[in-house]
Amino acid sequence: MTGDREVIRQYLDQLRLSLRIPETGRILVEAEDHLREAAAAGTAAGLTQTEAQQAAITGFGPVRAIVYAHLTRHGRAAAVIADLALALWRVAAFYLLAGFAVGLYELLTTSGAAACTAWSRSCRVLPGMPETTTVAAVTVWAVTGMAGVALLAAYFLVRRFQRRRGRVWSVPLGGYFPLMATVVSVAAGAGLLLADTSRAAFMPGTAVIIYAAVGLAVTYGLRMCRMLWNQARGRDELAAGMTAGTLGREVIYRLYARRLREQLAGGRLPRHVGIIMDGNRRWARRQGLADPSLGHRYGARHVENVLNWCQKAGIKHVTVFGCSTDNLANRGDAELAFLMQVIEQVIADKLSRDPAWQVHIAGTLDMLPDTTAQALKRAVEASRDCATGAHVTLAIGYGGRQEVIEAIRSLLYEHAERGTTLAELAETITTGDIARHLYTAGQPDPDLVIRTSGEQRLSNFLLWQSAYSELYFCEAYWPAFREIDFLRALRSFAARQRRYGR
Amino acid sequence: MDRERLKGNLDLLLLSVLAAGPVHGYGIITVLRERSEGTFDLHEGTIYPALYRLEDAGLLSSSWADAQGRKRRVYALTDKGAAALAAERTAWRRFAAGMRAVLGGEPA
């Protein structure tokens, strides 16, 4: 990974926007694999990174040539026409529903017969059309609505069939629909405007067009903005690929989250939550990201969201397990380098810029690369005077057993300085003595430890401190851990009776 | 071999590269370039549609594989593909022999 404005990325973005065929997702993955490998061959031959990437792209061919080759394979005309027909179909459904909505609105705002004639006027697109009777208007209105619903339902059935056969647009704004909708709306709007000015009277049919056009524009404008925004923030297009289905789901999540929050109100809240964020790579693989390490970036960004949820819930102590000593020993160099870069860029920088949380570090900084250790120290310094009383501990290069050993070592040194003999120490030592020397000294022990991605282990996390913690395991991979999962964990905590070994 | 002639015989070339065993897209194109001794000058990206077409025709099969943290598509010859390759090869040899005989070139 060398930044977001990499040449290959730019090329792939262009390709993504130019391809309007179902296999776009697969084509992009294969193109990326090809380009990366060709670029690697180039750097091996002594070119710089950028030169090698440019050479790879030149060999691969201009975007236009690739698009043309794919279109001709499809039987260009047939594929394009089929796609355009589907797009038109959907636009037609959209317009019928818009007409229905206009009628409904007028029915609700004006009364009876007036509404019917108003609606029949609204939908009288052609200048020469005769006035209709009330009954006819209502019939036409109802048929319009039903036809719209039927068309849309049939459309989704066809899409589902196509998806089963693997012909789906896996990128946002794929296919011809947005283009078609815009063209039809603009053409119809312009035509009506022209007709209006020439007749010097407001054409009622304009209402339907305007409703539909505004609806389409808002839907696609939002989706486009989202995609651009995500791209600008360096996120991949996959996260931005929001469909109507996911939008609907999001609304339901939000409602459900609100209900969960209401249930939690007044319940027992953990003072300190420990979080084992697991599953970044598996999540990335499931999302079809070309590089599973990218999961770490999404995962790291997600920490911010979860901290916000904690803040909202009123939790003052959070410990996040980002990377264990075992990870440092066992993961590949490239992945670790990337992980460290992510920790520096995302976690440390974010936390030093916005000190809503006082940052603490748990772990051995000496095992980390210098730049990472520096970034973490800066975050600690920058948030030292944080007045919110909220503490976040980043467990990075952390191991529970190592922590206990360090604590004992430091306790032994302390007593050695004071001249205590080992026998005296052995007689007087208490759990408090150890706790005082842990990385988390001075903080309450975690009441709740959450682990994502379905693994049911502590994996050397807060070994000493979690002696009496409630454990909560969640199936979701860390980047996909939602607020409702978090609230469910809190609800489960509130429902449990803590016993502290009694 | 000029671009048009290469394009006309691309299917046969792709099938024959895969006769040695499953390869991913970049691998196929590298072999093609090496074997054609530098006369291969198609845009590499335009080979993929040909692979997709052969797959649709049932001559190739493909599956995802993981390579250095990336996903890649690996292509393999199907039985139907192997049969088609054998038939095409015979046809091509006969055609080439005929051409040689007419042009009166040097023996193979």
Side-chain angles (χ1 to χ4, degrees):
Chain A
M1 282 301 293
T2 52
D4 296 322
R5 299 317 306 161
E6 214 194 23
V7 192
I8 289 185
R9 277 261 133 243
Q10 283 176 26
Y11 178 81
L12 290 173
D13 282 343
Q14 277 176 26
L15 193 58
R16 174 183 307 121
L17 291 172
S18 311
L19 280 168
R20 288 186 179 278
I21 48 173
E23 291 100 340
T24 303
R26 170 176 169 187
I27 293 169
L28 288 171
V29 172
E30 284 194 273
E32 170 151 21
D33 182 50
H34 185 112
L35 290 170
R36 300 257 175 237
E37 208 168 331
T43 40
L47 297 179
T48 67
Q49 187 95 5
T50 313
E51 282 168 358
Q53 294 198 349
Q54 272 156 354
I57 289 167
T58 311
F60 202 70
V63 168
R64 202 142 35 101
I66 314 290
V67 172
Y68 180 81
H70 278 286
L71 284 179
T72 36
R73 164 186 111 71
H74 258 286
R76 191 167 25 145
V80 170
I81 288 170
D83 196 13
L84 279 173
L86 270 180
L88 257 180
W89 179 345
R90 203 166 156 192
V91 171
F94 213 101
Y95 270 85
L96 285 174
L97 287 174
F100 181 76
V102 170
L104 191 67
Y105 172 77
E106 272 161 10
L107 253 176
L108 292 176
T109 48
T110 46
S111 60
C116 290
T117 41
W119 184 79
S120 68
R121 255 207 321 280
S122 299
C123 293
R124 204 158 45 85
V125 179
L126 298 173
M129 241 161 85
E131 290 280 342
T132 43
T133 63
T134 307
V135 179
V138 170
T139 318
V140 173
W141 172 65
V143 169
T144 307
M146 283 189 291
V149 171
L151 267 187
L152 207 62
Y155 170 81
F156 281 115
L157 276 180
V158 169
R159 282 302 307 274
R160 214 176 124 189
F161 175 71
Q162 283 189 318
R163 195 168 296 146
R164 282 233 186 101
R165 296 186 45 196
R167 288 176 55 90
V168 320
W169 288 269
S170 51
V171 289
L173 304 171
Y176 282 102
F177 176 60
L179 189 71
M180 204 69 214
T182 318
V183 168
V184 169
S185 301
V186 168
L192 279 169
L193 266 179
L194 275 179
D196 269 356
T197 44
S198 62
R199 298 182 56 210
F202 184 67
M203 280 278 295
T206 326
V208 177
I209 307 283
I210 289 174
Y211 278 66
V214 167
L216 289 167
V218 168
T219 319
Y220 281 89
L222 279 179
R223 204 186 271 193
M224 190 66 154
C225 289
R226 217 184 139 84
M227 189 180 84
L228 292 175
W229 168 248
N230 281 319
Q231 271 180 4
R233 290 184 59 184
R235 275 198 222 158
D236 218 58
E237 75 287 350
L238 285 156
M242 238 204 170
T243 62
T246 55
L247 256 172
R249 230 177 293 146
E250 196 147 277
V251 171
I252 294 172
Y253 283 160
R254 230 169 272 160
L255 289 175
Y256 183 49
R258 195 198 294 168
R259 223 196 92 198
L260 282 170
R261 268 195 296 273
E262 282 164 9
Q263 284 180 352
L264 282 171
R268 221 160 37 86
L269 206 63
R271 279 200 301 163
H272 182 173
V273 177
I275 299 174
I276 304 175
M277 28 185 226
D278 192 15
N280 286 341
R281 290 171 57 85
R282 273 169 287 167
W283 175 84
R285 230 172 272 136
R286 204 189 48 189
Q287 292 288 307
L289 288 182
D291 178 3
S293 285
L294 280 177
H296 292 312
R297 177 164 294 186
Y298 288 84
R301 290 224 172 90
H302 198 46
V303 170
E304 195 185 326
N305 300 334
V306 178
L307 286 179
N308 288 338
W309 302 337
C310 290
Q311 207 171 12
K312 220 161 36 166
I315 293 164
K316 292 289 185 195
H317 296 267
V318 179
T319 300
V320 196
F321 197 12
C323 155
S324 68
T325 45
D326 299 327
N327 288 156
L328 289 180
N330 299 334
R331 294 283 167 98
D333 287 345
E335 189 192 339
L336 273 185
F338 181 69
L339 181 61
M340 289 304 143
Q341 195 194 336
V342 164
I343 289 172
E344 285 167 36
Q345 286 175 354
V346 183
I347 303 189
D349 281 3
K350 163 73 190 131
L351 287 171
S352 21
R353 254 184 290 120
D354 168 29
W357 294 81
Q358 186 175 348
V359 181
H360 305 266
I361 307 293
T364 34
L365 288 182
D366 339 340
M367 282 180 74
L368 304 178
D370 276 350
T371 48
T372 314
Q374 294 288 334
L376 290 172
K377 278 184 201 153
R378 268 201 307 278
V380 172
E381 282 303 318
S383 64
R384 188 176 292 284
D385 303 318
C386 166
T388 57
H391 301 262
V392 59
T393 305
L394 302 176
I396 287 165
Y398 172 88
R401 288 184 171 178
Q402 287 79 353
E403 181 183 24
V404 174
I405 291 177
E406 285 301 321
I408 294 173
R409 201 195 312 277
S410 134
L411 178 71
L412 288 175
Y413 278 133
E414 184 191 78
H415 282 271
E417 262 176 40
R418 275 197 238 151
T420 326
T421 66
L422 273 182
E424 280 167 3
L425 179 59
E427 222 164 90
T428 58
I429 188 168
T430 62
T431 51
D433 291 330
I434 305 274
R436 255 187 322 113
H437 289 89
L438 295 172
Y439 299 130
T440 57
Q443 297 201 45
D445 285 344
D447 306 297
L448 173 66
V449 173
I450 301 174
R451 180 169 189 154
T452 57
S453 92
E455 307 287 345
Q456 307 206 347
R457 287 188 296 271
L458 268 181
S459 299
N460 211 4
F461 179 57
L462 298 183
L463 211 53
W464 179 279
Q465 298 90 329
S466 65
Y468 299 112
S469 304
E470 296 287 336
L471 305 180
Y472 185 87
F473 302 103
C474 167
E475 287 296 320
Y477 296 134
W478 173 250
F481 181 70
R482 301 158 304 180
E483 187 176 11
I484 57 172
D485 297 316
F486 174 71
L487 293 171
R488 276 180 182 149
L490 295 186
R491 183 178 64 180
S492 156
F493 173 81
R496 293 186 206 180
Q497 200 191 353
R498 298 191 67 203
R499 303 179 61 87
Y500 295 98
R502 289 186 289 260
Chain B
M1 218 187 303
D2 62 53
R3 192 177 280 198
E4 282 312 309
R5 221 171 295 174
L6 188 64
K7 259 187 191 164
N9 295 295
L10 189 57
D11 291 3
L12 177 57
L13 292 172
L14 291 175
L15 291 177
S16 64
V17 170
L18 284 168
V23 195
H24 67 292
Y26 180 76
I28 296 174
I29 290 157
T30 317
V31 173
L32 216 53
R33 202 193 301 113
E34 279 165 10
R35 285 212 199 142
S36 71
E37 291 165 2
T39 47
F40 175 91
D41 71 341
L42 287 184
H43 292 306
E44 292 164 3
T46 60
I47 304 299
Y48 287 89
L51 289 170
Y52 292 11
R53 193 184 59 236
L54 289 172
E55 190 179 343
D56 280 352
L59 302 181
L60 300 182
S61 64
S62 70
S63 55
W64 289 113
D66 219 36
Q68 300 140 27
R70 278 201 304 270
K71 273 210 311 185
R72 70 166 40 144
R73 199 87 181 168
V74 175
Y75 295 86
L77 214 55
T78 60
D79 291 345
K80 193 175 162 195
L85 173 61
E88 280 293 308
R89 226 181 224 156
T90 319
W92 174 260
R93 289 213 177 109
R94 199 174 303 137
F95 174 73
M99 285 293 285
R100 250 199 317 274
V102 174
L103 294 175
E106 60 279 16

